[in-house]
Amino acid sequence: MLKEFREFAMKGNVVDLAVGVIIGAAFGAIVTSLVGDIIMPIIGAATGGLDFSNYFAPLSKAVTATNLADAKKQGAVLAYGSFLTLTINFIIVAFVLFLVIRAMNTLKRKEEAAPAPKPSAEVELLTEIRDLLKK
């Protein structure tokens, strides 16, 4: 059973998947930082200094706090600012993946469109002989 598990774990697909998950997690952290530290402050500055992360609607009368962290401690809140931030995060990730896949498809098309190398003189001569023998 241990040998079978080792064979499964060392298959190319499993290793590729593990590498993809690790790179995806690192990429996710970069995009989260991009959205939270760069894009959202710019949007906040453009809209008059608004901070989307603290946008919430209290679902209980007990919630009187003005920031999201304290409001969550007091009761149930609808944190639509966090949702907006995560939605923008998703759109950025999807757009970057679209650009990467688009670039990969462009490279594939260029490889497919590349003409086949011209056969050598020997191969051409052998092809002519074969064609003459068929007649």
mmCIF file of all heavy atoms in Angstrom, residues 1 3-4 9 16 22-25 37 61 63-64 70 75-76 78 80 83 87 89 92 97-98 112 120-122 130:
data_model
loop_
_atom_site.group_PDB
_atom_site.id
_atom_site.type_symbol
_atom_site.label_atom_id
_atom_site.label_comp_id
_atom_site.label_asym_id
_atom_site.label_seq_id
_atom_site.Cartn_x
_atom_site.Cartn_y
_atom_site.Cartn_z
ATOM 1 N N MET A 1 0.818 -1.180 0.000
ATOM 2 C CA MET A 1 0.000 0.000 0.000
ATOM 3 C C MET A 1 0.874 1.260 0.000
ATOM 4 O O MET A 1 0.563 2.230 -0.680
ATOM 5 C CB MET A 1 -0.922 -0.006 1.222
ATOM 6 C CG MET A 1 -1.911 1.096 1.241
ATOM 7 S SD MET A 1 -3.125 0.767 2.508
ATOM 8 C CE MET A 1 -3.597 2.397 2.914
ATOM 9 N N LYS A 3 3.893 1.521 -1.228
ATOM 10 C CA LYS A 3 4.494 1.626 -2.558
ATOM 11 C C LYS A 3 3.488 2.221 -3.538
ATOM 12 O O LYS A 3 3.831 3.086 -4.346
ATOM 13 C CB LYS A 3 4.954 0.252 -3.029
ATOM 14 C CG LYS A 3 5.581 0.257 -4.390
ATOM 15 C CD LYS A 3 5.955 -1.139 -4.822
ATOM 16 C CE LYS A 3 6.475 -1.124 -6.253
ATOM 17 N NZ LYS A 3 6.664 -2.450 -6.790
ATOM 18 N N GLU A 4 2.251 1.785 -3.455
ATOM 19 C CA GLU A 4 1.203 2.285 -4.342
ATOM 20 C C GLU A 4 0.957 3.781 -4.109
ATOM 21 O O GLU A 4 0.788 4.552 -5.048
ATOM 22 C CB GLU A 4 -0.087 1.498 -4.089
ATOM 23 C CG GLU A 4 -1.105 1.607 -5.167
ATOM 24 C CD GLU A 4 -2.285 0.680 -4.895
ATOM 25 O OE1 GLU A 4 -2.098 -0.395 -4.290
ATOM 26 O OE2 GLU A 4 -3.394 1.059 -5.294
ATOM 27 N N ALA A 9 1.668 9.533 -5.583
ATOM 28 C CA ALA A 9 2.129 10.869 -5.193
ATOM 29 C C ALA A 9 3.208 11.391 -6.131
ATOM 30 O O ALA A 9 3.353 12.601 -6.276
ATOM 31 C CB ALA A 9 2.641 10.841 -3.755
ATOM 32 N N ASP A 16 2.446 18.382 -10.471
ATOM 33 C CA ASP A 16 2.049 19.616 -11.161
ATOM 34 C C ASP A 16 0.937 20.322 -10.404
ATOM 35 O O ASP A 16 0.941 21.546 -10.277
ATOM 36 C CB ASP A 16 1.597 19.321 -12.588
ATOM 37 C CG ASP A 16 2.735 18.864 -13.485
ATOM 38 O OD1 ASP A 16 3.906 19.074 -13.104
ATOM 39 O OD2 ASP A 16 2.453 18.298 -14.564
ATOM 40 N N ILE A 22 0.531 25.792 -4.788
ATOM 41 C CA ILE A 22 1.472 26.638 -4.049
ATOM 42 C C ILE A 22 1.647 27.985 -4.760
ATOM 43 O O ILE A 22 1.593 29.042 -4.128
ATOM 44 C CB ILE A 22 2.819 25.915 -3.862
ATOM 45 C CG1 ILE A 22 2.633 24.728 -2.913
ATOM 46 C CG2 ILE A 22 3.891 26.865 -3.343
ATOM 47 C CD1 ILE A 22 3.799 23.784 -2.864
ATOM 48 N N ILE A 23 1.820 27.953 -6.058
ATOM 49 C CA ILE A 23 1.968 29.201 -6.809
ATOM 50 C C ILE A 23 0.674 29.997 -6.757
ATOM 51 O O ILE A 23 0.690 31.224 -6.633
ATOM 52 C CB ILE A 23 2.403 28.907 -8.260
ATOM 53 C CG1 ILE A 23 3.844 28.408 -8.266
ATOM 54 C CG2 ILE A 23 2.262 30.146 -9.140
ATOM 55 C CD1 ILE A 23 4.345 27.966 -9.613
ATOM 56 N N GLY A 24 -0.465 29.312 -6.826
ATOM 57 C CA GLY A 24 -1.756 29.993 -6.736
ATOM 58 C C GLY A 24 -1.942 30.694 -5.405
ATOM 59 O O GLY A 24 -2.463 31.811 -5.345
ATOM 60 N N ALA A 25 -1.516 30.056 -4.329
ATOM 61 C CA ALA A 25 -1.630 30.687 -3.009
ATOM 62 C C ALA A 25 -0.743 31.928 -2.922
ATOM 63 O O ALA A 25 -1.165 32.969 -2.408
ATOM 64 C CB ALA A 25 -1.246 29.687 -1.923
ATOM 65 N N ASP A 37 -3.867 47.175 -0.592
ATOM 66 C CA ASP A 37 -2.863 48.193 -0.287
ATOM 67 C C ASP A 37 -2.674 49.240 -1.377
ATOM 68 O O ASP A 37 -2.127 50.307 -1.114
ATOM 69 C CB ASP A 37 -1.514 47.519 -0.003
ATOM 70 C CG ASP A 37 -1.589 46.568 1.174
ATOM 71 O OD1 ASP A 37 -2.438 46.787 2.055
ATOM 72 O OD2 ASP A 37 -0.797 45.598 1.218
ATOM 73 N N LYS A 61 -30.020 45.728 16.689
ATOM 74 C CA LYS A 61 -30.064 47.049 17.329
ATOM 75 C C LYS A 61 -28.943 47.214 18.341
ATOM 76 O O LYS A 61 -28.619 48.330 18.745
ATOM 77 C CB LYS A 61 -31.421 47.247 18.005
ATOM 78 C CG LYS A 61 -32.543 47.383 17.009
ATOM 79 C CD LYS A 61 -33.858 47.635 17.690
ATOM 80 C CE LYS A 61 -34.950 47.717 16.627
ATOM 81 N NZ LYS A 61 -36.234 48.079 17.155
ATOM 82 N N VAL A 63 -25.853 46.734 17.804
ATOM 83 C CA VAL A 63 -24.639 47.187 17.129
ATOM 84 C C VAL A 63 -24.669 48.710 17.027
ATOM 85 O O VAL A 63 -25.500 49.284 16.342
ATOM 86 C CB VAL A 63 -24.523 46.562 15.723
ATOM 87 C CG1 VAL A 63 -23.290 47.083 15.012
ATOM 88 C CG2 VAL A 63 -24.484 45.054 15.809
ATOM 89 N N THR A 64 -23.734 49.346 17.729
ATOM 90 C CA THR A 64 -23.637 50.808 17.714
ATOM 91 C C THR A 64 -22.259 51.293 17.292
ATOM 92 O O THR A 64 -22.045 52.496 17.190
ATOM 93 C CB THR A 64 -23.949 51.373 19.118
ATOM 94 O OG1 THR A 64 -23.021 50.812 20.060
ATOM 95 C CG2 THR A 64 -25.381 51.056 19.523
ATOM 96 N N ASP A 70 -15.278 46.382 15.667
ATOM 97 C CA ASP A 70 -16.053 46.533 16.900
ATOM 98 C C ASP A 70 -17.506 46.133 16.692
ATOM 99 O O ASP A 70 -18.137 45.570 17.592
ATOM 100 C CB ASP A 70 -15.977 47.979 17.407
ATOM 101 C CG ASP A 70 -14.577 48.343 17.867
ATOM 102 O OD1 ASP A 70 -13.815 47.413 18.214
ATOM 103 O OD2 ASP A 70 -14.247 49.542 17.859
ATOM 104 N N GLY A 75 -22.469 42.327 17.556
ATOM 105 C CA GLY A 75 -23.583 41.541 17.020
ATOM 106 C C GLY A 75 -23.423 41.293 15.530
ATOM 107 O O GLY A 75 -22.377 41.542 14.937
ATOM 108 N N ALA A 76 -24.502 40.828 14.917
ATOM 109 C CA ALA A 76 -24.487 40.484 13.502
ATOM 110 C C ALA A 76 -24.471 41.736 12.632
ATOM 111 O O ALA A 76 -25.209 42.685 12.877
ATOM 112 C CB ALA A 76 -25.704 39.638 13.159
ATOM 113 N N LEU A 78 -23.845 43.067 8.329
ATOM 114 C CA LEU A 78 -23.726 42.737 6.914
ATOM 115 C C LEU A 78 -22.540 43.544 6.384
ATOM 116 O O LEU A 78 -22.653 44.748 6.152
ATOM 117 C CB LEU A 78 -25.015 43.108 6.177
ATOM 118 C CG LEU A 78 -25.094 42.756 4.712
ATOM 119 C CD1 LEU A 78 -25.073 41.245 4.545
ATOM 120 C CD2 LEU A 78 -26.357 43.327 4.116
ATOM 121 N N TYR A 80 -20.794 44.547 3.724
ATOM 122 C CA TYR A 80 -20.775 44.653 2.273
ATOM 123 C C TYR A 80 -19.499 45.319 1.755
ATOM 124 O O TYR A 80 -19.131 45.126 0.606
ATOM 125 C CB TYR A 80 -22.025 45.352 1.743
ATOM 126 C CG TYR A 80 -22.209 46.783 2.185
ATOM 127 C CD1 TYR A 80 -21.686 47.825 1.455
ATOM 128 C CD2 TYR A 80 -22.938 47.092 3.334
ATOM 129 C CE1 TYR A 80 -21.861 49.137 1.846
ATOM 130 C CE2 TYR A 80 -23.124 48.394 3.732
ATOM 131 C CZ TYR A 80 -22.580 49.419 2.988
ATOM 132 O OH TYR A 80 -22.764 50.705 3.378
ATOM 133 N N PHE A 83 -17.152 42.510 1.195
ATOM 134 C CA PHE A 83 -17.596 41.797 0.002
ATOM 135 C C PHE A 83 -17.179 42.540 -1.257
ATOM 136 O O PHE A 83 -16.712 41.930 -2.220
ATOM 137 C CB PHE A 83 -19.119 41.604 0.036
ATOM 138 C CG PHE A 83 -19.650 40.920 -1.186
ATOM 139 C CD1 PHE A 83 -19.498 39.566 -1.364
ATOM 140 C CD2 PHE A 83 -20.298 41.656 -2.174
ATOM 141 C CE1 PHE A 83 -19.978 38.936 -2.494
ATOM 142 C CE2 PHE A 83 -20.781 41.035 -3.306
ATOM 143 C CZ PHE A 83 -20.614 39.674 -3.471
ATOM 144 N N THR A 87 -14.771 41.123 -4.122
ATOM 145 C CA THR A 87 -15.257 41.064 -5.504
ATOM 146 C C THR A 87 -14.267 41.720 -6.450
ATOM 147 O O THR A 87 -13.964 41.180 -7.520
ATOM 148 C CB THR A 87 -16.643 41.738 -5.610
ATOM 149 O OG1 THR A 87 -17.547 41.080 -4.734
ATOM 150 C CG2 THR A 87 -17.171 41.675 -7.026
ATOM 151 N N ASN A 89 -11.121 42.014 -5.866
ATOM 152 C CA ASN A 89 -9.994 41.076 -5.840
ATOM 153 C C ASN A 89 -10.215 39.963 -6.861
ATOM 154 O O ASN A 89 -9.327 39.638 -7.653
ATOM 155 C CB ASN A 89 -9.860 40.512 -4.428
ATOM 156 C CG ASN A 89 -8.599 39.726 -4.220
ATOM 157 O OD1 ASN A 89 -7.937 39.333 -5.165
ATOM 158 N ND2 ASN A 89 -8.271 39.489 -2.975
ATOM 159 N N ILE A 92 -9.861 41.156 -10.477
ATOM 160 C CA ILE A 92 -8.454 41.346 -10.849
ATOM 161 C C ILE A 92 -7.788 40.001 -11.124
ATOM 162 O O ILE A 92 -7.085 39.837 -12.122
ATOM 163 C CB ILE A 92 -7.703 42.130 -9.761
ATOM 164 C CG1 ILE A 92 -8.206 43.573 -9.732
ATOM 165 C CG2 ILE A 92 -6.196 42.099 -9.990
ATOM 166 C CD1 ILE A 92 -7.718 44.355 -8.546
ATOM 167 N N LEU A 97 -5.587 36.179 -14.994
ATOM 168 C CA LEU A 97 -5.589 34.822 -15.558
ATOM 169 C C LEU A 97 -6.010 34.836 -17.021
ATOM 170 O O LEU A 97 -5.459 34.102 -17.844
ATOM 171 C CB LEU A 97 -6.500 33.911 -14.745
ATOM 172 C CG LEU A 97 -5.963 33.512 -13.380
ATOM 173 C CD1 LEU A 97 -6.992 32.680 -12.625
ATOM 174 C CD2 LEU A 97 -4.668 32.737 -13.520
ATOM 175 N N PHE A 98 -6.985 35.675 -17.358
ATOM 176 C CA PHE A 98 -7.406 35.822 -18.755
ATOM 177 C C PHE A 98 -6.223 36.268 -19.608
ATOM 178 O O PHE A 98 -5.989 35.723 -20.693
ATOM 179 C CB PHE A 98 -8.563 36.818 -18.858
ATOM 180 C CG PHE A 98 -8.844 37.267 -20.257
ATOM 181 C CD1 PHE A 98 -9.484 36.426 -21.150
ATOM 182 C CD2 PHE A 98 -8.457 38.528 -20.688
ATOM 183 C CE1 PHE A 98 -9.734 36.834 -22.446
ATOM 184 C CE2 PHE A 98 -8.700 38.942 -21.974
ATOM 185 C CZ PHE A 98 -9.341 38.096 -22.863
ATOM 186 N N GLU A 112 1.990 26.655 -33.888
ATOM 187 C CA GLU A 112 1.263 25.850 -34.869
ATOM 188 C C GLU A 112 1.404 26.427 -36.269
ATOM 189 O O GLU A 112 1.432 25.693 -37.251
ATOM 190 C CB GLU A 112 -0.214 25.769 -34.484
ATOM 191 C CG GLU A 112 -0.468 24.958 -33.240
ATOM 192 C CD GLU A 112 -1.914 25.037 -32.763
ATOM 193 O OE1 GLU A 112 -2.720 25.737 -33.410
ATOM 194 O OE2 GLU A 112 -2.222 24.391 -31.758
ATOM 195 N N SER A 120 15.474 17.488 -46.145
ATOM 196 C CA SER A 120 16.809 17.493 -46.733
ATOM 197 C C SER A 120 16.759 16.960 -48.169
ATOM 198 O O SER A 120 15.761 16.392 -48.608
ATOM 199 C CB SER A 120 17.760 16.646 -45.889
ATOM 200 O OG SER A 120 17.368 15.286 -45.961
ATOM 201 N N ALA A 121 17.845 17.138 -48.877
ATOM 202 C CA ALA A 121 17.921 16.684 -50.271
ATOM 203 C C ALA A 121 17.736 15.173 -50.364
ATOM 204 O O ALA A 121 17.102 14.663 -51.290
ATOM 205 C CB ALA A 121 19.243 17.111 -50.888
ATOM 206 N N GLU A 122 18.295 14.440 -49.392
ATOM 207 C CA GLU A 122 18.153 12.983 -49.404
ATOM 208 C C GLU A 122 16.692 12.575 -49.266
ATOM 209 O O GLU A 122 16.213 11.689 -49.966
ATOM 210 C CB GLU A 122 18.955 12.367 -48.256
ATOM 211 C CG GLU A 122 20.438 12.345 -48.452
ATOM 212 C CD GLU A 122 21.140 11.701 -47.259
ATOM 213 O OE1 GLU A 122 20.486 11.416 -46.239
ATOM 214 O OE2 GLU A 122 22.347 11.493 -47.353
ATOM 215 N N ARG A 130 10.142 6.960 -54.255
ATOM 216 C CA ARG A 130 8.948 6.259 -53.780
ATOM 217 C C ARG A 130 7.751 6.548 -54.694
ATOM 218 O O ARG A 130 7.013 5.648 -55.077
ATOM 219 C CB ARG A 130 8.624 6.692 -52.358
ATOM 220 C CG ARG A 130 7.404 5.986 -51.784
ATOM 221 C CD ARG A 130 6.849 6.667 -50.566
ATOM 222 N NE ARG A 130 6.276 7.951 -50.983
ATOM 223 C CZ ARG A 130 6.098 9.000 -50.200
ATOM 224 N NH1 ARG A 130 6.442 8.942 -48.946
ATOM 225 N NH2 ARG A 130 5.581 10.112 -50.653
#
